[in-house]
Amino acid sequence: MSEKSLFAVLLRSPWWISFVLVAVIALVAGALLPKEYAGVGMLGGFPFFVIGCMALWRQRHLPSPAKVEKALQAFSSMGWRDFAAVLEGTFSRQGYTVTPLQGAADLQLEKKGVLTVVSAKRWKAAAMGVEPLRDLVAQRDALEASHCVCISLGQVSAKAAEFAAQNRITLIAGVDLVVLAADCLAAQS
C-alpha cells in the first residue's frame, strides 16, 4: 500500500477520524440515495470502519501527544549518563544483558544468544545523517551482532532513513522512544 494512499494516511491518523468518515458516508447515503439503495450506500463506509478498528488497535497503548512531548523534553534535558541509565534500565527490564561499548555503538544487548548493538550517544542531534549509521553498521559487523538500533530525538534525513532500511538498522525516535522507555520514565517520576 502506498504511504500516500487514503487508507495509509488514515492508519497513521487518530482512530476516531475513520469513524467520523463512516458516520458522514452513512448520513450522506441516507439523505441523498433512494430508500431502496440507502443501505447499500451506507455500506460504502465499511472499509473506513475496518481502517478505524485497525488504527484503534494500533493506537490503544500509545501515550497522548502531551505525554510524548513531556517525555521528549525530559530526554532532551538529560545528560548522556542519565539517558544511558534510562536505556540500560529499559533494556534490562526487557530481559537483555546490557554491556556498555566504546565507538559508534554505545550499548551491546544480548538475549538468548542474539547480539544487538545500540547507538544513542547522538540522541540530541538535531538531524541524523548517514555517517553515524555507516559507523554503526561497521561496528555491528565487527562484533558479529545480528541487529543494530539507532536512537535519536532529532529528525532522520531521508537519505539516512533509506540507508537504515537497506542495512537493517532499526531507527527509534519520537513516540517509539517514549513507548520503549515508558517504564523507566514512570519509575523515575
Side-chain angles (χ1 to χ4, degrees), residues 28-42:
V28 169
L32 299 179
L33 293 174
K35 285 187 179 181
E36 58 270 8
Y37 298 117
V40 174
M42 289 179 189

Side-chain angles (χ1 to χ4, degrees), residues 14-99:
W15 58 269
W16 55 267
I17 292 174
S18 296
F19 292 125
V20 168
L21 283 173
V22 171
V24 168
I25 290 171
L27 289 173
V28 169
L32 299 179
L33 293 174
K35 285 187 179 181
E36 58 270 8
Y37 298 117
V40 174
M42 289 179 189
L43 285 176
F46 184 72
F48 297 101
F49 176 78
V50 172
I51 293 294
C53 291
M54 290 172 61
L56 176 63
W57 183 257
R58 287 182 177 182
Q59 298 168 14
R60 69 190 183 283
H61 294 298
L62 292 181
S64 70
K67 286 183 180 179
V68 169
E69 186 62 31
K70 182 179 175 185
L72 292 177
Q73 285 177 355
F75 287 143
S76 67
S77 68
M78 289 180 180
W80 167 244
R81 288 190 176 128
D82 294 334
F83 187 67
V86 167
L87 292 178
E88 287 180 28
T90 295
F91 291 124
S92 293
R93 281 189 169 97
Q94 293 179 2
Y96 289 97
T97 302
V98 181
T99 307

